[in-house]
Amino acid sequence: RVKHKNTLKVISFLSDALGARNMTGGQAMDIENKNNRKIKKAVKNKIDKMKTAALMALACRIGGEAAGAGRKVSEKLYNFGINLGLAFQAADDMDDCGKKPSEMKYLQMRTNYFITKSKKEIWFLEKKGDCLRFIGDAIIERVKKIKK
């Protein structure tokens, strides 16, 4: 249960994540580029960050707030979520790339990069962060299965 004093923070986080700068805006960009087979990587990366990464970051940040985490910990959890979301999206895109070797290699490297980055954000949690690290490990395992 979210503490009363944190309710406004949680509402603010929700509003930001669901708004035009994140999920809603990302969805609009996604629809705008739906038939663009040659979408630039920078645009695709921005869409991924605004949608999938924003959603995962929101979940992590709200979890931190619900647990009474301070601002610094909440920010670390948010960054963990951003990186986890970008890794998850890269792994998901591997299913859609038609097994083109160059694209598969790029997405695998991207997944590994963001999982490593996400784990660095939560190193201070030590044993308490094991369940979060497990999520990252599960994404890496999924990538290994897709590659085969």
Side-chain angles (χ1 to χ4, degrees):
R1 183 176 167 127
V2 177
K3 296 178 183 176
H4 179 69
K5 67 180 181 177
N6 293 344
T7 302
L8 290 178
K9 280 186 194 177
V10 170
I11 291 169
S12 174
F13 297 153
L14 276 167
S15 298
D16 184 54
L18 297 173
R21 290 183 300 156
N22 284 307
M23 286 186 242
T24 303
Q27 185 62 34
M29 286 177 68
D30 202 8
I31 291 168
E32 187 178 291
N33 287 284
K34 186 178 182 180
N35 296 320
N36 184 359
R37 293 183 188 262
K38 294 186 178 184
I39 187 170
K40 293 181 179 176
K41 283 185 180 173
V43 174
K44 172 73 170 99
N45 293 342
K46 186 173 183 177
I47 291 169
D48 293 348
K49 188 170 185 180
M50 292 171 75
K51 290 176 61 180
T52 309
L55 179 63
M56 297 231 184
L58 173 66
C60 292
R61 180 176 261 176
I62 288 177
E65 287 298 320
R71 186 183 60 78
K72 286 184 178 183
V73 171
S74 180
E75 219 163 276
K76 291 276 189 189
L77 291 170
Y78 172 84
N79 290 334
F80 170 83
I82 288 287
N83 290 305
L84 186 73
L86 291 170
F88 177 87
Q89 189 60 55
D92 190 59
D93 288 347
M94 289 179 80
D95 284 332
D96 303 330
C97 76
K99 305 284 186 200
K100 295 176 193 164
S102 61
E103 189 68 13
M104 292 287 281
K105 186 171 178 74
Y106 167 76
L107 291 169
Q108 181 184 15
M109 287 175 18
R110 189 169 165 79
T111 302
N112 289 333
Y113 170 78
F114 285 115
I115 291 298
T116 300
K117 205 170 168 189
S118 70
K119 288 180 178 182
K120 287 180 181 176
E121 290 292 341
I122 58 166
W123 67 268
F124 67 95
L125 291 173
E126 297 173 343
K127 194 86 172 139
K128 292 177 186 175
D130 284 352
C131 61
L132 296 175
R133 284 185 281 278
F134 176 78
I135 296 168
D137 294 340
I139 293 171
I140 296 293
E141 287 303 312
R142 179 173 178 232
V143 166
K144 288 178 184 176
K145 289 178 183 174
I146 294 170
K147 255 182 71 174
K148 292 180 181 179

